[in-house]
Amino acid sequence: MNTRFHPISLSNLGPIAQLRAGRLPERLLRLLIGLWLYGVAIALMIEGALGASPWDVFHLGVSGHVPVSFGVVMILAALGVLLVWIPLRQMPGLGTLANTLLLGPFADLNLALIDTPQALPLRCLYLLGGVVVCAFATALYVGAQLGPGPRDGLMTGLARRTGWSIRRVRTIIEVSVLVIGVLLGGTAGIGTIVFAVGVGPVTQFFLRYLVVPLEMPVGELSREA
């Protein structure tokens, strides 16, 4: 058996290979911290009351029509997005499952903990903080390489298939989801625009530093490809 190792950057490994690719405790910690921080970012954007992120405009729009919490709507939407992974041949993993099931509850919890500030400068700070924290959180848990979340798997899958940059794909997705969310009755604002055009470049910046380099035997890598 060939035991030579091949370095991987942002990979598309199967769920078993993801768990066997080394540095698992560190990667699990990055995954959980990233998901929690993403919940913080969602709460900051919504409670800042200057416009939620495009996906959350969509979630808020849907939640106005169904008798469930914002977080439950997030879970249901994530399950729907996973269906789009099939033609993209995007590989799920533990991180995909964790994102699908934990991000909604984390968002609900942080929404309960964070109040809407009255002062406009603080609300602007919430907005900018939400964008930066979201980008950092995305890069942290995607970079853990345990399978991206449903929405970020859509992003990385399209980037891989089209050859476009993460920045370009993320921006296209965010703008498209925003339009759908507004049509469903979600409320957008200046913060939504800032997020839609800003989160892609900031996410790409953080990904340069937060992707955990993995090593897999060449033979196993070829089987997972």
Side-chain angles (χ1 to χ4, degrees):
M1 177 178 178
N2 190 342
T3 57
R4 182 169 58 90
F5 280 81
H6 179 81
I8 303 172
S9 54
L10 194 57
S11 60
N12 188 33
L13 300 177
I16 302 301
Q18 291 166 7
L19 296 175
R20 297 174 59 185
R23 302 173 65 175
L24 185 58
E26 174 193 350
R27 291 161 58 214
L28 288 172
L29 183 61
R30 285 171 176 252
L31 169 65
L32 292 176
I33 293 175
L35 292 176
W36 173 259
L37 288 176
Y38 205 116
V40 172
I42 290 171
L44 286 173
M45 290 286 296
I46 292 177
E47 297 296 348
L50 291 173
S53 72
W55 273 109
D56 292 330
V57 171
F58 173 79
H59 297 142
L60 289 168
V62 173
S63 65
H65 300 279
V66 294
V68 295
S69 73
F70 176 86
V72 172
V73 169
M74 290 189 68
I75 294 174
L76 296 176
L79 293 172
V81 171
L82 285 176
L83 296 177
V84 185
W85 281 33
I86 297 173
L88 294 176
R89 297 182 182 177
Q90 183 70 21
M91 300 298 292
L94 179 61
T96 309
L97 179 62
N99 185 293
T100 300
L101 299 180
L102 295 180
L103 189 54
F106 283 167
D108 277 346
L109 181 57
N110 280 289
L111 283 167
L113 294 174
I114 299 175
D115 295 326
T116 300
Q118 297 299 317
L120 181 60
L122 188 53
R123 290 164 58 197
C124 291
L125 186 61
Y126 272 33
L127 162 61
L128 296 177
V131 173
V132 174
V133 172
C134 177
F136 179 82
T138 300
L140 191 63
Y141 69 72
V142 169
Q145 306 217 59
L146 286 165
R151 301 161 188 84
D152 296 301
L154 178 63
M155 173 185 70
T156 56
L158 284 173
R160 183 178 294 110
R161 285 290 176 179
T162 63
W164 295 346
S165 69
I166 291 290
R167 173 175 57 193
R168 182 179 183 184
V169 171
R170 181 66 180 258
T171 300
I172 291 172
I173 291 173
E174 299 290 342
V175 172
S176 300
V177 171
L178 168 61
V179 173
I180 298 172
V182 170
L183 292 175
L184 288 172
T187 303
I190 186 63
T192 310
I193 298 173
V194 172
F195 186 95
V197 301
V199 75
V202 182
T203 299
Q204 184 163 307
F205 170 80
F206 283 127
L207 276 171
R208 298 175 187 172
Y209 306 101
L210 293 176
V211 174
V212 179
L214 305 182
E215 290 188 342
M216 291 288 293
V218 171
E220 186 165 352
L221 177 61
S222 63
R223 289 195 298 272
E224 293 290 342

